[in-house]
Structure formats: C-alpha cells, structure tokens
Amino acid sequence: MNNILSAKGIAKAFDDKVIFRGLDVDLSEGQTVALLGPSGIGKTTLMNILSGVMTPDEGRVTLCGEDITGKPGHISYMQQKDLLLPYYTVLYNVALPLIIKGESKKEALKKAGGYFEFFGLAGYEDKYPKELSGGMRQRAALLRTYIQSRKVVLLDEPFGALDAVTRRKMQKWYLGIAKELELSTVVITHDTDEALILADRIYIMGEGKELDVIELKDKPSDFELTEEFIKLKKQIVSYL
Ligand SMILES: Nc1ncnc2c1ncn2[C@@H]1O[C@H](COP(=O)(O)OP(=O)(O)OP(=O)(O)O)[C@@H](O)[C@H]1O
Ligand SMILES: [Mg+2]
C-alpha cells in the first residue's frame, strides 16, 4: 500500500521540555491510524505538526511525497473541541470552510447540503447547533472537516464528548463512511477500545516518549468479542 502521509524524525520541545523526538508516523491510502496515549503526552502536538499548523523542531512531514512541514491547509483537520458556531445554521457551519477558501456562498451551501443525507443530518440544514444531539453535532463537525479536502483527515478525539453508547455507534458509522469515501484517517484517542475498533495500526505514545506500534490486520466483524481483542488491550495497557 502507498504511504499517503508520512512523518519522519519528528521532534518538539516547549521551552526546555522535550515532548518527543525521533517520531515516525506513516499512513497508507485508505487506512486508519490511531494515536493513543494518556492526557498531556503530546498527541495534539503531534497532530498539529502532521497538519502543518505547527512546525517541528526536527523532522519532515510529507503528503504524497511533497514536503508540507509547517504548511497548513493541505489536510482536513478536526481539532479537539471543534465546536460549531452557535449563531450559524448547521448548513452554514458545514459550508464555512469552503466559503473561507473563496467559493461562492451559493456553491458552498449547495456542495455542503449534498452530503447531509449521507452524514445522517438530512432535515437539519436550517437548525442551529444547539438543536442537535451530541452525535449529530459531531457528525456535522466531521462533515465540515471532510469537505475541506478529500484525501487525508486528522481527527483529534472526535467522539470524546459522547456517551459510551453513542460513541460506539459513531465509531461504527465512521468505519462505514471512511470506507465508502475512501478516507485516510489519523485519529487521536485515549480510549483503547476506540483505537482497536477504528484503526488498522495503533501508535502508542507512552512515558518512554517512543512510539510503540500495533498492526491490526484482517479484523473480524465481531473483533470486540474476540480473545485477540482482550490480548491486545492488555498489551496496550502494559505500554501505557
Ligand atoms: N503551545 C504550547 N506551548 C507550551 N506548551 C505546550 C503547548 N502545547 C502543548 N504544550 C504542552 O505539551 C504537552 C503535550 O500537550 P498536548 O496537548 O499535545 O497533549 P495531549 O496528549 O493532546 O493531551 P490531551 O489528551 O489532554 O488532549 C503538555 O505538557 C502541554 O502543556
Ligand atoms: Mg489533546
């Protein structure tokens, strides 16, 4: 499989505090990769670097072989607590990145509206964010992220604010759309189950500052119920 996004030798420190160094992350086309680790370990910092909104002290990020280190705007990025703006309709919220990019308002609203059915939001175009359920708000934020670009999507704790049942539903739903839309995704989570369910590969950021890697191939549809799942969970806990 082809690497679509690749980070090599990434280092970052804030003042004198080294967050990480020498990190490598690879994302193949159509794959989902999870970054898993405890709070404060540097997941968002690494994601900021992958997206180009932050420049690393060392290392390079390439997208389809092209250097995008420190260059934002090439990848869709849904940041942690990516809130919808309360005073705009859901449709306008979703279309906003396109309008900011310079598309005409009419075109942007039309394009955004075209995905509402697919993202489970049909009929809610003219509602305001507060009128949506948590899961719907999250789907709207994902749609807004998705329409910025179609290649690579970075998601920072996309389902963190949801209750366990809704979260599980959203994970299943995301697996479906990621496949259908052929998305390549990097997702941050501190939920081991979520990482195991969503990812083809898990990068574990632990106190050792190095990334441990778990490859997940040919997961069965009832993966969560298998002994393999429990075994991997134990392995991950030992890394953290
Ligand atoms: N802009 C910044 N300036 C200084 N320190 C920062 C900055 N951004 C992050 N840090 C520090 O870097 C460390 C890692 O932060 P980061 O936000 O990457 O963690 P995280 O793994 O995403 O945590 P969480 O799971 O809580 O979101 C923390 O100690 C944080 O205080
Ligand atoms: Mg974070």
Side-chain angles (χ1 to χ4, degrees):
M1 263 193 281
N2 288 333
N3 263 347
I4 187 157
L5 181 69
S6 183
K8 291 268 175 281
I10 303 296
K12 186 74 191 175
F14 292 114
D15 304 318
D16 286 339
K17 190 177 164 203
V18 175
I19 306 299
F20 41 66
R21 64 160 65 103
L23 296 192
D24 295 339
V25 173
D26 287 309
L27 174 67
S28 305
E29 222 170 329
Q31 249 196 348
T32 295
V33 156
L35 294 178
L36 178 68
S39 183
I41 201 81
K43 302 182 297 295
T44 296
T45 303
L46 181 55
M47 202 70 126
N48 285 338
I49 291 168
L50 292 178
S51 74
V53 301
M54 188 183 276
T55 306
D57 301 334
E58 290 167 25
R60 280 155 46 90
V61 181
T62 53
L63 178 70
C64 303
E66 196 186 318
D67 195 325
I68 59 155
T69 316
K71 293 183 202 158
H74 295 274
I75 294 177
S76 304
Y77 185 19
M78 179 167 150
Q79 292 180 272
Q80 207 168 5
K81 303 204 182 76
D82 200 356
L83 299 174
L84 303 172
L85 299 167
Y87 38 88
Y88 289 140
T89 64
V90 178
L91 179 60
Y92 198 88
N93 263 290
V94 170
L96 202 54
L98 300 177
I99 296 169
I100 291 169
K101 249 190 203 171
E103 280 193 38
S104 80
K105 199 173 146 187
K106 197 177 154 204
E107 273 304 308
L109 292 174
K110 195 174 152 207
K111 193 186 274 179
Y115 290 105
F116 265 56
E117 178 94 51
F118 194 67
F119 277 70
L121 294 165
Y124 287 83
E125 289 83 350
D126 299 326
K127 303 271 188 212
Y128 287 86
K130 68 171 193 301
E131 300 175 87
L132 269 56
S133 72
M136 293 175 107
R137 270 199 294 272
Q138 224 54 34
R139 290 201 292 276
L142 280 165
L143 172 53
R144 183 176 58 181
T145 305
Y146 166 68
I147 65 171
Q148 294 170 42
S149 134
R150 290 166 190 217
K151 277 201 169 111
V152 178
V153 182
L154 307 181
L155 307 173
D156 193 345
E157 303 239 14
F159 313 128
L162 302 173
D163 66 85
V165 176
T166 310
R167 187 192 297 199
R168 195 52 52 92
K169 274 192 200 153
M170 290 289 292
Q171 290 160 357
K172 294 269 153 72
W173 172 81
Y174 190 77
L175 284 174
I177 66 150
K179 195 167 179 199
E180 192 144 339
L181 300 174
E182 298 177 332
L183 303 178
S184 309
T185 309
V186 183
V187 60
I188 291 182
T189 179
H190 50 231
D191 177 348
T192 307
D193 287 22
E194 180 162 287
L196 285 166
I197 290 166
L198 291 178
D200 301 298
R201 180 188 300 133
I202 304 177
Y203 290 103
I204 302 163
M205 298 180 84
E207 294 300 340
K209 307 270 181 209
E210 285 183 6
L211 291 178
D212 289 299
V213 184
I214 291 183
E215 301 285 350
L216 300 157
K217 291 211 175 77
D218 306 317
K219 289 190 284 187
S221 57
D222 64 345
F223 184 47
E224 298 153 77
L225 306 174
T226 62
E227 283 187 20
E228 177 72 7
F229 190 91
I230 309 287
K231 204 182 103 198
L232 287 168
K233 234 173 123 163
K234 281 189 187 153
Q235 191 183 339
I236 291 169
V237 170
S238 76
Y239 286 139
L240 294 169

